[in-house]
Amino acid sequence: MEHFSEIMDKQLTEEVQEIGAQSDMLYEKLTADMTKDISSTEIQAIVHELLTFIQKNSTDTPLDKPYINMLIDTYSNDYMKNRTDNRYGAGASDYIVKAFRYYSENNAPSTR
C-alpha cells in the first residue's frame, strides 16, 4: 500500500497515453487521403469508428447531433484548426469538420 498512489498514477498515465495514441491513429486514418469524398461509405465508417471511440472513452457522451456539433465547433476554432492542420496536414481540420457535419446530418440521432 505504500506505493499505491504512485502505481495508480502511472497506470492512469499509461491509459491516457494509449487512448491518445488510438485517437491519433483514427484521425490519421480519417485524414490520410483528404481527396476522398466525405460522404463515401469508407470515410463515414471512419467517422463512426472515431465517434464511437470518443463515446467509449468519455463519460456519458451520446453520439447525437448536439455533441457532434460541439466537435464541429471545436475543430472550427482557429487554435484547434492550426493544431490539427499542423499534425495531420494542411486542410485536415476543414476535412474533419466536413466529415463530421455530413455524419451529423445523415447518420446521427437528433436528440440525446
Side-chain angles (χ1 to χ4, degrees):
M1 290 303 285
E2 182 179 327
H3 299 286
F4 180 75
S5 64
E6 292 171 15
I7 293 168
M8 289 306 294
D9 285 345
K10 182 179 181 201
Q11 183 177 354
L12 286 173
T13 300
E14 289 171 356
E15 288 175 17
V16 168
Q17 288 175 344
E18 178 62 27
I19 289 169
Q22 289 176 5
S23 175
D24 192 42
M25 180 195 72
L26 290 169
Y27 278 108
E28 285 176 0
K29 188 175 171 183
L30 178 61
T31 59
D33 183 355
M34 292 183 279
T35 64
K36 290 184 179 177
D37 186 341
I38 52 98
S39 67
S40 72
T41 303
E42 176 186 3
I43 295 300
Q44 288 303 297
I46 296 169
V47 170
H48 180 75
E49 183 179 5
L50 182 55
L51 293 172
T52 301
F53 176 78
I54 291 169
Q55 181 183 37
K56 175 182 152 201
N57 290 289
S58 300
T59 56
D60 198 30
T61 303
L63 288 179
D64 60 6
K65 287 183 182 192
Y67 181 74
I68 296 169
N69 287 335
M70 183 192 70
L71 288 172
I72 290 168
D73 289 345
T74 299
Y75 282 99
S76 297
N77 170 290
D78 285 339
Y79 175 76
M80 280 302 293
K81 190 177 219 177
N82 287 333
R83 285 188 57 127
T84 303
D85 287 357
N86 284 334
R87 183 165 195 115
Y88 303 109
S93 185
D94 289 337
Y95 188 80
I96 291 167
V97 165
K98 289 175 188 174
F100 282 4
R101 185 170 288 128
Y102 184 89
Y103 184 92
S104 176
E105 292 170 356
N106 296 281
N107 302 310
S110 295
T111 59
R112 292 183 179 185

